[in-house]
Amino acid sequence: MATSIFIVDDHYMVIEGIRSLLQNEKGIEWTGHAMNAASCLAFLKKQQPDVILMDINLPDKNGIDLCKEVKEKYPSVFIIGLSTFNQQSFIRKMMENGASGYVLKNATQEELKEAIDAVIKGKVFLSEDVSQTLRKEETPNIVLTRREKEVLELIADGMTNIEIAQKLFISVTTVDTHRKNLLAKLEARNTASLVRIATQLHLI
Amino acid sequence: MATSIFIVDDHYMVIEGIRSLLQNEKGIEWTGHAMNAASCLAFLKKQQPDVILMDINLPDKNGIDLCKEVKEKYPSVFIIGLSTFNQQSFIRKMMENGASGYVLKNATQEELKEAIDAVIKGKVFLSEDVSQTLRKEETPNIVLTRREKEVLELIADGMTNIEIAQKLFISVTTVDTHRKNLLAKLEARNTASLVRIATQLHLI
DNA sequence: GAAAATATCCTGTTTTTACAGGATGGACAA
DNA sequence: TTGTCCATCCTGTAAAAACAGGATATTTTC
């Protein structure tokens, strides 16, 4: 029985590329595509493919959240993350949210086929580059609290501690404490590197 | 006579997608592809296509610089910029460096064909979204000097004025002046927003 | 060759951050 | 129930950045 495939990606060229790569593969059946999260969910209500290839960057919702939602509603569907970025934090979050694999957009036809074959058997598939990144970048998964994220956002917006304190109805010293903890958690030396690192980790 | 096309993009899926979109088009001849700037330049030494579709993000060199280099060496080749980002600064720089058009990766088959037809006739082609962005975002093209960029980088790296001064063999007050000018140019309130804005404008 | 842009330097003040080293109460889990 | 985590608050000091308001020499550009 053929494996049915569905694609979610907002780039027409990528959809077309994947379709072209897979169209001559035996045992793979193309069931359609969506260019945003909403139409993906709409499709799934009617029909569930075996595998979804899911881009991380979507116009209406990020792939990480969509992945979680899809897996909650349709646990039997296997999801393969798809993006241009070989970024540890993204990949980890995708896998945490139930994805079975992750490939980069520069993947070859063979790699893509291999990924689909693997996940359909219940295995986990990561591109060579991806698993290497996961091994190499031993970033111990930085977790910020709700409040810390809030403060971080406002810092990046250029607000001073005093302004942040007023905005959040807390003391300036509390803001300072959060700031201190942010610097420690992200191993930043000062505000500049804090914002830089936070940006690189896609925390803001 | 058929229009010959060459693609530079580091994503295999995108190359395949474009090829798939164009393969049945009459009057378009696919001459090949490169996945980095170096092999693009190597190809051009042997053969010059009519049109190059060129991604902005390449592993070895950015498309903006590559565009300039190609246009200097082979002025008769038309270049169409290609990227996922609908970003004013990128588009403007591409056009300044001699590109004849700019399309996004979510372009349709018709749009792509239209773009090729237009540039081959010497016209300028911009996707609807792209030209809208150019009109809307009236960001008066922020230009930083060599030194300012240098200082900006070091600030984002978390260095203090004193450290930057030592590194660049200049006075602390000079660094402070550059910093002042950076804040003014990027309309930032402080270091945090400076780094944020600089990141958003892809200056660092 | 003149004007504009760039890079350099200065004094001084105020504001903001960074850092040290705490404490307290509440929520939640083992 | 006894931790652990989180959010809150505190005092005090040192360092750094922001801001004002300059000046001067060297390139670059027209």
Side-chain angles (χ1 to χ4, degrees):
Chain A
M1 191 178 139
T3 304
S4 56
I5 302 278
F6 185 81
I7 316 252
V8 195
D9 196 303
D10 59 330
H11 300 310
Y12 194 64
M13 292 177 185
V14 175
I15 295 173
E16 194 55 34
I18 296 171
R19 171 150 58 189
S20 173
L21 288 176
L22 297 179
Q23 70 182 353
N24 293 323
E25 288 291 336
K26 290 186 178 177
I28 288 183
E29 189 197 349
W30 180 273
T31 60
H33 70 263
M35 293 184 77
N36 55 57
S39 59
C40 170
L41 291 168
F43 176 88
L44 290 173
K45 275 190 185 166
K46 294 181 295 179
Q47 190 181 343
Q48 289 92 47
D50 299 322
V51 177
I52 300 179
L53 290 169
M54 186 180 288
D55 189 20
I56 303 290
N57 305 100
L58 295 171
D60 51 345
K61 185 186 285 195
N62 76 61
I64 293 164
D65 294 341
L66 179 61
C67 179
K68 191 175 185 179
E69 194 172 340
V70 169
K71 277 307 255 187
E72 277 167 4
K73 288 184 182 165
Y74 316 98
S76 63
V77 175
F78 295 110
I79 295 175
I80 298 177
L82 192 66
S83 87
T84 49
F85 310 114
N86 191 358
Q87 170 121 30
Q88 166 265 344
S89 63
F90 279 3
I91 302 164
R92 201 161 285 178
K93 282 178 195 157
M94 269 313 263
M95 304 311 281
E96 277 170 12
N97 283 355
S100 303
Y102 198 99
V103 297
L104 301 179
K105 285 193 183 172
N106 61 4
T108 59
Q109 185 166 12
E110 290 72 39
E111 205 170 359
L112 197 57
K113 186 67 171 54
E114 206 182 328
I116 294 167
D117 288 346
V119 302
I120 208 76
K121 289 175 186 149
K123 293 183 191 163
V124 165
F125 183 91
L126 299 174
S127 301
E128 183 50 38
D129 288 355
V130 170
S131 60
Q132 209 165 40
T133 312
L134 276 187
R135 263 179 278 124
K136 190 173 56 190
E137 282 187 44
E138 262 316 320
T139 320
N141 207 17
I142 291 158
V143 179
L144 302 183
T145 67
R146 200 195 75 253
R147 207 50 155 174
E148 281 164 357
K149 275 182 208 159
E150 220 167 340
V151 172
L152 177 58
E153 288 276 5
L154 298 177
I155 289 171
D157 280 344
M159 291 175 74
T160 67
N161 287 348
I162 296 168
E163 289 167 343
I164 295 170
Q166 282 166 353
K167 170 134 191 169
L168 300 181
F169 302 106
I170 55 179
S171 158
V172 180
T173 61
T174 306
V175 178
D176 191 57
T177 305
H178 288 310
R179 196 177 200 126
K180 220 188 295 182
N181 294 334
L182 283 166
L183 288 173
K185 280 189 180 179
L186 301 195
E187 292 176 63
R189 300 182 60 193
N190 51 35
T191 305
S193 55
L194 178 70
V195 175
R196 220 286 168 87
I197 294 167
T199 308
Q200 286 172 341
L201 298 177
H202 299 263
L203 295 172
I204 47 177
Chain B
M1 192 180 138
T3 304
S4 56
I5 302 278
F6 185 81
I7 316 250
V8 195
D9 196 303
D10 59 330
H11 300 311
Y12 194 64
M13 292 176 184
V14 174
I15 295 173
E16 195 53 37
I18 295 171
R19 172 151 56 189
S20 174
L21 288 176
L22 296 179
Q23 70 182 353
N24 293 322
E25 287 291 337
K26 289 185 179 177
I28 288 183
E29 188 197 349
W30 179 273
T31 59
H33 71 262
M35 294 183 77
N36 54 58
S39 59
C40 170
L41 291 168
F43 177 88
L44 289 173
K45 275 190 186 166
K46 293 181 296 180
Q47 189 181 343
Q48 289 92 48
D50 299 322
V51 178
I52 300 178
L53 291 168
M54 186 180 289
D55 189 21
I56 303 291
N57 305 101
L58 294 172
D60 52 344
K61 184 186 285 192
N62 76 60
I64 292 164
D65 295 340
L66 179 61
C67 179
K68 191 175 185 181
E69 194 172 340
V70 170
K71 276 307 252 187
E72 277 168 4
K73 288 184 183 165
Y74 315 98
S76 63
V77 175
F78 294 110
I79 296 175
I80 298 176
L82 192 66
S83 88
T84 50
F85 309 114
N86 191 358
Q87 169 122 30
Q88 165 268 342
S89 63
F90 279 3
I91 303 164
R92 200 162 286 178
K93 282 178 195 156
M94 269 313 263
M95 303 312 280
E96 278 170 11
N97 283 354
S100 304
Y102 198 100
V103 297
L104 300 179
K105 285 193 184 173
N106 60 4
T108 59
Q109 185 166 13
E110 290 72 39
E111 206 171 358
L112 196 57
K113 185 67 169 54
E114 206 182 327
I116 293 168
D117 288 344
V119 301
I120 208 77
K121 289 176 187 148
K123 293 183 191 163
V124 165
F125 183 92
L126 299 174
S127 301
E128 183 51 38
D129 288 356
V130 169
S131 60
Q132 210 166 40
T133 312
L134 276 187
R135 264 180 276 123
K136 192 172 56 191
E137 281 186 44
E138 263 315 319
T139 320
N141 206 17
I142 292 158
V143 178
L144 301 184
T145 68
R146 201 195 76 252
R147 208 51 156 174
E148 281 164 356
K149 275 183 208 159
E150 219 167 341
V151 172
L152 177 59
E153 288 275 5
L154 298 176
I155 290 171
D157 280 345
M159 291 175 74
T160 67
N161 287 348
I162 297 168
E163 289 167 342
I164 295 169
Q166 283 166 353
K167 170 134 189 167
L168 300 181
F169 302 107
I170 54 178
S171 157
V172 180
T173 61
T174 306
V175 178
D176 192 58
T177 305
H178 287 310
R179 196 176 201 125
K180 222 187 294 182
N181 293 334
L182 283 167
L183 289 174
K185 280 190 181 181
L186 301 195
E187 292 176 63
R189 301 182 58 193
N190 51 34
T191 305
S193 55
L194 178 69
V195 175
R196 222 275 173 91
I197 294 168
T199 309
Q200 287 172 341
L201 298 177
H202 299 264
L203 295 172
I204 47 176

